[in-house]
Amino acid sequence: MLILGIETSCDETGVALFDTQAGLLSHALFSQIAIHADYGGVVPELASRDHVRKLLPLCDQVLSDAGRTRTDLEGIAYTAGPGLIGALMVGGAVAHALGFALDIPVLGVHHMEGHLLAPMLEDNPPAFPFVALLVSGGHTQLVRVDGIGEYQMLGESVDDAAGEAFDKTAKMLGLDYPGGPRVAALAEKGTSGRYRFPRPMTDRPGLDFSFSGLKTFTLNTVNAEKKSANGLSDQTRADIALAFETAAVETLVIKCRRALEQTGCDRLVIAGGVSANSRLRASLEKMAEKRRAHVFYARPEFCTDNGAMIAYAGAQRLKAGQRDGERIVAVPRWPMNQLPSLTEVRLSGLID
Ligand code: KG4
Ligand code: ZN
């Protein structure tokens, strides 16, 4: 089954072509970073307008890259949420219009399920069950995954998401949007041991996260250094970036270790933009090695938003018979454990 995947939930227009037999055939991405950089964050209306400009040309590009045409398509998957409502509507409208014109099934996909399944696009994909750490700009969640749509929430952030904490730290340090990769690059130049930042909520049991205290601690440190005799020097900025990154990563590692212990799983999947972070990957691998567990993640370009993950997740569900009705689905907030399992999808097809 040849599926076109469309991602437009935020500031990247991502498109991909996935074949359920041959795998990923092509993918393309347009990042809006330059459009939003002057504003220090995503401007929703500008995001929607640019998706309108880029989406159809990117669809044509992935088709021609794979030597296919629109009439070869057998299904279309688009991100239905969570995300910015205007941006989601662009992807949903294009997907439904194409699906209607070509008379093929269309399905709205959950963005975080897309992230969660992205490591399946790599060689040696993880087998079920596994524990997944989802770390993006809007989410920090630990999930037990027994199959597609079989998600048990183990813990999540009670305030800021991990990526959000990286982005806010970047702003405090005078770095451009998006901050995560820039904080990580600056931390490379830092000297360890100069500061010790808190590891929030690690001193008590449980798998929830909180990053707002760490953010405030970072802000207070930056402000104190600004007032000091030397001011906020380049080395101090790098030392703060490293202290922040080390604290955030260690917090995530502690909770992942607990989640593996609690569930008895020996496979850990990390997904979402922050899973591209090399310190996080290395620290989790070190922890996993001690437990004889394995860590799985996608190539960096499939950790951040992309069309391939939506094509993959949509293909699994479309193949099982799941599809939208005639309405475009766009859901800004959408808990992932509301999704049906593939068994439920197949059974409801039999009942219909
Ligand atoms: O998954 P994603 O592309 O979009 C959302 O669904 O939110 O994640 C974006 C987030 C941003 O907060 C970005 O700063 C962070 O992922 N990020 C990183 C890295 N690359 C992206 N954070 C830390 N280190 C990185 N290398
Ligand atoms: Zn995302």
Side-chain angles (χ1 to χ4, degrees):
M1 199 173 182
L2 184 66
I3 307 296
L4 177 72
I6 293 176
E7 156 62 36
T8 64
S9 67
C10 191
D11 58 345
E12 332 262 359
T13 318
V15 181
L17 213 50
F18 182 85
D19 184 281
T20 49
Q21 256 150 25
L24 186 66
L25 301 184
S26 55
H27 62 97
L29 184 93
F30 180 82
S31 168
Q32 300 179 355
I33 285 177
I35 296 174
H36 304 290
D38 286 349
Y39 305 92
V42 180
V43 183
E45 182 59 21
L46 295 183
S48 312
R49 290 180 190 207
D50 202 60
H51 287 310
V52 172
R53 273 191 290 271
K54 300 295 173 359
L55 188 49
L56 279 171
L58 284 179
C59 291
D60 289 339
Q61 186 187 326
V62 294
L63 283 165
S64 89
D65 286 353
R68 307 294 177 96
T69 63
R70 285 185 191 179
T71 50
D72 293 328
L73 293 174
E74 292 168 288
I76 303 180
Y78 64 97
T79 303
L84 303 170
I85 188 68
L88 293 169
M89 284 300 291
V90 177
V94 168
H96 271 268
L98 277 176
F100 183 72
L102 298 167
D103 195 20
I104 55 174
V106 178
L107 180 66
V109 169
H110 195 291
H111 180 80
M112 296 312 292
E113 180 173 72
H115 276 305
L116 170 66
L117 298 176
M120 299 290 186
L121 290 161
E122 304 302 334
D123 296 337
N124 304 317
F128 300 114
F130 55 75
V131 167
L133 172 72
L134 301 179
V135 268
S136 69
H139 292 79
T140 304
Q141 296 175 326
L142 269 167
V143 191
R144 184 192 156 102
V145 181
D146 285 288
I148 293 177
E150 296 174 52
Y151 307 134
Q152 188 194 337
M153 206 54 68
L154 301 171
E156 60 189 322
S157 178
V158 297
D159 42 53
D160 292 2
E164 201 178 346
F166 268 93
D167 294 340
K168 287 176 178 168
T169 297
K171 264 193 188 167
M172 294 172 206
L173 295 172
L175 300 168
D176 284 344
Y177 151 89
R182 294 194 162 92
V183 169
L186 185 60
E188 290 289 315
K189 298 180 197 141
T191 30
S192 62
R194 179 161 165 206
Y195 302 101
R196 184 174 164 85
F197 283 22
R199 277 75 171 143
M201 291 178 82
T202 52
D203 55 350
R204 59 188 112 149
L207 295 173
D208 284 338
F209 304 88
S210 163
F211 287 103
S212 77
L214 176 58
K215 179 187 66 185
T216 309
F217 194 94
T218 309
L219 183 62
N220 290 343
T221 309
V222 169
N223 287 339
E225 291 295 352
K226 276 184 185 162
K227 285 186 202 136
S228 72
N230 294 333
L232 192 64
S233 68
D234 284 350
Q235 189 57 50
T236 298
R237 287 168 64 245
D239 295 346
I240 292 175
L242 178 59
F244 164 81
E245 189 185 40
T246 309
V249 163
E250 219 173 277
T251 305
L252 294 169
V253 173
I254 291 169
K255 300 283 167 148
C256 286
R257 190 181 63 223
R258 274 188 206 165
L260 290 176
E261 274 162 16
Q262 191 176 307
T263 56
C265 281
D266 61 2
R267 287 180 288 270
L268 175 70
V269 164
I270 54 169
V274 184
S275 70
N277 185 278
S278 353
R279 192 175 302 275
L280 177 65
R281 290 176 172 205
S283 306
L284 283 172
E285 269 168 351
K286 213 162 125 196
M287 177 276 287
E289 207 176 305
K290 282 191 201 141
R291 304 182 49 84
R292 293 171 194 266
H294 293 279
V295 185
F296 299 84
Y297 41 76
R299 69 196 85 164
E301 63 185 319
F302 292 167
C303 289
T304 43
D305 293 348
N306 66 87
M309 66 184 197
I310 301 304
Y312 179 85
Q316 310 313 310
R317 290 185 171 279
L318 282 160
K319 204 172 72 176
Q322 191 176 345
R323 57 211 60 216
D324 282 0
E326 283 175 2
R327 284 170 185 237
I328 298 167
V329 183
V331 200
R333 300 176 79 82
W334 186 9
M336 201 173 64
N337 47 12
Q338 286 179 357
L339 295 174
S341 69
L342 287 193
T343 317
E344 284 165 335
V345 169
R346 289 193 191 101
L347 279 176
S348 74
L350 290 178
I351 294 162
D352 289 350

